[in-house]
């Protein structure tokens, strides 16, 4: 196992050696655990560390942070602490066992040893540790057959009540299964079905479900994850009536192409929140009122809520783009929407005219900026200033419709527009 630690980035080698020495001086034992160990065995890149301490994790993290002069945060309620080491975070937790008073609630925790700490975890592949202690530094600790499951490509829970204790593990099983192209072990699948039958996810706080959903939708193949959720769990934990059909998966396939196209063609544009678009694809068959309700109950951030429900709201509204419209009308319809929403609508609609309008918006209209500013109107002596907004808006529409490209062309137009608007105002007063 030492080989795995040897493969670590230089920063981490130094950190681990420091942690090892510090734990020893305090009389604690320390291990790296969980997903980090799994990823090391899979030879993936590691960015953050999770450490379990047999001893006082907060005290150890505090001394470590002082020694290396880094920021840290303590979470006394959980017996954990986080040290921010340059671009890495290092989490420290005191080894603990957990008991669940009922399904889906957060557990009560008690100090324990490493073996018990690993036993409370979700899957065997996430229940391994590597010792950082002097006598067996770098040794893999694998009480529950995680390495064999990793080699076989299997997601396996550690006991039959695992999904009932923590039903979010149903979603986590889907996530890891799709991420690594692993299979869910036979008994694990049976226990998962049993938890689904007992509607275990309805006992989980919506915030926890939301966080797991977002993580799933951020996986490299969100549509694959959605299909797996559909097969294993269903979507009634989001809404009792929500089901997906082949048409929805077709939209998701087009969404994947649309996103690829966007990334290749608009390298200078901002990064998309792709998960938002997939979530819109999951929810779009529900009535808009219900979508808003779901987004509220799960307490999604306001920006995410708006992007998801406007996707639904505009499915019908953008059908106007199928008619011949002036460029400024296309702009007015699409400009108030986020890129995520617009690209969802592009993937949703197959009508060539709607798609062409959206492409035109992305390629051309969205990049148009007026060269004439308020200062120019002032220099022309346009009065009163309260009209500038209206004049510039009109100029902008004209610029789009007449494809004006130079400041001179805009200046010529703005004189006419200002005159017209001023005289209209005089007539009205
Ligand atoms: N864990 C668990 N049950 C959960 C959540 C987490 O047992 N419901 C344990 C697992 O051992 C997991 C570790 O806590 O490996 C860290 O959790 P998290 O960071 O959520 O998972 P990772 O495995 O690190 O996954 P990722 O690679 O997606 O960060």
């Amino acid at each position: 196992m030492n080989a795995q630690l040897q493969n670590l980035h230089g920063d981490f080698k130094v950190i681990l050696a420091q942690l090892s020495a510090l734990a020893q001086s305090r009389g604690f034992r320390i291990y790296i655990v969980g997903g980090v160990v799994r990823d090391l065995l899979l030879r993936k890149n590691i960015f953050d560390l999770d450490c379990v301490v047999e001893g006082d994790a907060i005290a150890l993290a505090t001394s470590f942070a002082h020694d290396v002069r880094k920021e840290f945060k303590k979470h006394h309620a959980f017996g954990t602490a986080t040290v921010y080491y340059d671009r890495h975070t290092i989490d420290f937790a005191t080894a603990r066992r957990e008991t669940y008073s009922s399904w889906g609630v957060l557990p009560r925790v008690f100090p324990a040893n490493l073996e018990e700490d690993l036993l409370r975890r979700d899957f065997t592949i996430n229940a391994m540790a590597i010792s950082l202690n002097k006598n067996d530094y770098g040794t893999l600790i694998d009480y529950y057959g995680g390495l064999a499951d990793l080699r076989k490509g299997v997601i396996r829970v550690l006991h039959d009540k695992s999904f009932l204790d923590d039903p979010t593990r149903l979603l986590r099983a889907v996530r890891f299964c799709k991420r690594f192209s692993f299979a869910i072990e036979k008994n694990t699948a049976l226990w998962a079905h049993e938890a689904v039958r007992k509607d275990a996810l309805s006992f989980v706080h919506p915030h926890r479900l939301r966080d797991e959903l977002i993580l799933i939708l951020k996986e490299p193949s969100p549509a694959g994850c959605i299909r797996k959720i559909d097969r294993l769990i269903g979507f009634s934990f989001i809404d009792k009536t929500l089901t997906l059909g082949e048409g929805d998966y077709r939209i998701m396939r087009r969404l994947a192409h649309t996103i690829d196209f966007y990334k290749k063609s608009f390298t200078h544009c901002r990064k998309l929140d792709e998960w938002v678009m997939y979530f819109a694809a999951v929810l779009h068959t529900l009535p808009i009122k219900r979508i808003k309700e779901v987004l509220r109950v799960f307490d999604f951030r306001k920006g995410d809520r708006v992007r998801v429900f406007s996707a639904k709201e505009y499915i019908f509204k953008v059908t106007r783009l199928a008619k011949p419209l002036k460029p400024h009308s296309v702009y007015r319809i699409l400009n108030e929407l986020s890129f995520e929403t617009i690209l969802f609508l592009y993937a949703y609609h197959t009508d060539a005219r709607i798609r062409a309008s959206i492409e035109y918006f992305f390629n051309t209209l969205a990049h148009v900026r007026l060269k004439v500013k308020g200062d120019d109107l002032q220099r022309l002596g346009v009065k009163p200033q309260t009209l500038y907004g209206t004049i510039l808006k009109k100029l902008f529409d004209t610029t789009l419709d007449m494809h004006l490209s130079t400041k001179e062309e805009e200046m010529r137009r703005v004189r006419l527009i200002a005159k017209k608007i001023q005289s209209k105002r005089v007539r009205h007063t």
Side-chain angles (χ1 to χ4, degrees):
M1 184 63 212
N2 240 321
Q4 256 68 42
L5 292 187
Q6 287 309 323
N7 289 337
L8 274 174
H9 189 271
D11 272 4
F12 278 128
K13 281 193 201 146
V14 176
I15 293 172
L16 296 188
Q18 281 171 316
L19 286 174
S20 174
L22 187 64
Q24 196 186 14
S25 73
R26 291 284 196 123
F28 301 153
R29 291 186 67 79
I30 183 166
Y31 309 85
I32 47 177
V33 290
V36 186
V37 176
R38 175 201 69 214
D39 287 347
L40 276 172
L41 290 164
L42 291 171
R43 298 181 182 280
K44 305 228 177 248
N45 284 336
I46 305 296
F47 296 103
D48 302 316
L49 284 179
D50 273 332
C51 300
V52 158
V53 180
E54 286 176 331
D56 186 340
I58 294 184
L60 188 73
T62 309
S63 323
F64 177 65
H66 283 308
D67 287 356
V68 295
R69 304 219 178 104
K70 301 290 177 196
E71 297 281 309
F72 73 108
K73 213 188 229 164
K74 304 178 200 179
H75 317 279
H76 281 290
F78 304 104
T80 61
T82 305
V83 175
Y84 302 95
Y85 198 109
D86 305 335
R87 45 196 193 97
H88 312 292
T89 60
I90 310 174
D91 284 319
F92 295 79
T94 299
R96 63 184 196 255
R97 69 190 164 84
E98 296 176 340
T99 60
Y100 292 84
S101 56
S102 60
W103 303 345
V105 297
L106 288 176
R108 288 183 61 201
V109 301
F110 305 90
N113 60 25
L114 178 74
E115 188 169 351
E116 291 169 298
D117 186 286
L118 295 176
L119 181 63
R120 74 181 171 83
R121 290 171 185 266
D122 51 1
F123 308 116
T124 56
I125 59 165
N126 290 341
M128 293 180 274
I130 295 174
S131 169
L132 298 183
N133 304 298
K134 206 169 169 207
N135 63 329
D136 56 356
Y137 190 90
T139 303
L140 177 70
I141 299 166
D142 179 18
Y143 296 116
Y144 308 109
L147 184 58
D149 285 344
L150 206 56
R151 289 197 172 132
K152 276 188 275 183
V154 163
I155 305 291
R156 182 199 304 270
V157 287
L158 281 80
H159 57 88
D160 59 348
K161 296 287 177 289
S162 185
F163 289 118
L164 293 174
D165 282 348
D166 180 357
T168 64
R169 288 175 180 167
L170 291 165
L171 292 166
R172 292 173 65 83
V174 168
R175 181 151 64 92
F176 293 121
C177 174
K178 293 311 286 182
R179 184 193 295 174
F180 302 124
S181 300
F182 280 12
I184 299 183
E185 180 269 333
K186 216 170 91 218
N187 281 325
T188 302
L190 286 177
W191 295 326
H193 287 304
E194 185 196 341
V196 171
R197 233 184 0 263
K198 292 182 170 162
D199 205 11
L201 281 171
S202 67
F203 295 90
V204 179
H205 195 287
H207 291 181
R208 293 187 61 216
L209 293 177
R210 173 202 59 204
D211 293 346
E212 284 298 337
L213 257 176
I214 295 177
L215 286 176
I216 286 196
L217 296 174
K218 283 185 173 173
E219 287 291 321
S221 152
C225 290
I226 292 167
R227 204 183 266 280
K228 185 82 191 169
I229 296 179
D230 204 356
R231 291 195 178 135
L232 186 74
I233 308 170
F235 289 98
S236 61
F237 72 96
I238 296 178
D239 176 274
K240 291 283 172 239
T241 65
L242 182 60
T243 53
L244 298 190
E246 273 318 301
D248 304 311
Y249 291 108
R250 266 197 298 279
I251 295 172
M252 288 180 222
R253 274 197 293 279
R254 291 202 296 269
L255 200 49
H257 290 139
T258 305
I259 292 170
D260 274 353
F261 176 75
Y262 172 91
K263 284 189 193 159
K264 281 191 199 115
S265 316
F266 301 100
T267 41
H268 59 287
C269 286
R270 75 162 175 79
K271 212 172 150 282
L272 295 171
D273 285 325
E274 294 168 31
W275 73 268
V276 166
M277 301 151 85
Y278 281 95
F279 197 40
V282 169
L283 294 183
H284 81 276
T285 51
L286 294 176
I288 184 119
K289 249 177 96 180
R290 183 61 197 140
I291 293 179
K292 286 186 178 172
E293 178 66 8
V294 166
L295 295 167
R296 189 189 59 75
V297 169
F298 283 80
D299 200 17
F300 281 90
R301 284 175 33 223
K302 179 148 182 269
D304 299 337
R305 287 208 300 260
V306 172
R307 288 184 289 179
V308 172
F309 78 70
S310 37
K312 165 76 180 188
E313 197 169 47
Y314 273 75
I315 285 176
F316 180 70
K317 284 192 184 172
V318 292
T319 55
R320 277 190 286 158
L321 296 176
K323 297 193 192 115
L325 290 179
K326 285 196 169 169
H328 84 264
S329 305
V330 174
Y331 183 89
R332 294 278 163 243
I333 294 171
L334 295 176
N335 187 51
E336 57 196 61
L337 301 176
S338 69
F339 279 13
E340 283 81 359
T341 305
I342 299 174
L343 292 172
F344 167 83
L345 294 165
Y346 184 82
Y348 179 92
H349 286 286
T350 48
D351 185 307
R353 293 159 305 175
I354 297 178
R355 295 188 131 213
S357 291
I358 295 179
E359 282 173 29
Y360 180 42
F361 174 82
F362 261 108
N363 290 327
T364 310
L365 302 181
H367 311 290
V368 173
R369 301 282 176 274
L370 275 187
K371 294 167 191 77
V372 166
K373 309 271 180 249
D375 293 356
D376 297 302
L377 296 182
Q378 210 163 14
R379 271 194 292 277
L380 288 177
V382 177
K383 278 185 191 150
Q385 276 198 6
T386 47
L387 287 182
Y388 285 13
T390 318
I391 294 170
L392 290 175
K393 184 167 175 289
K394 182 74 192 148
L395 175 66
F396 187 69
D397 288 353
T398 310
T399 301
L400 296 179
D401 293 348
M402 300 183 70
H403 313 289
L404 306 183
S405 59
T406 65
K407 185 159 180 181
E408 289 66 42
E409 287 174 319
E410 285 184 17
M411 287 298 279
R412 236 173 288 145
R413 277 285 142 189
V414 86
R415 284 194 189 92
L416 299 175
I417 293 168
K419 222 181 249 166
K420 214 165 168 183
I421 290 179
Q422 281 170 319
S423 63
K424 230 190 234 165
R425 188 170 176 268
V426 172
R427 262 185 276 135
H428 284 133
T429 48

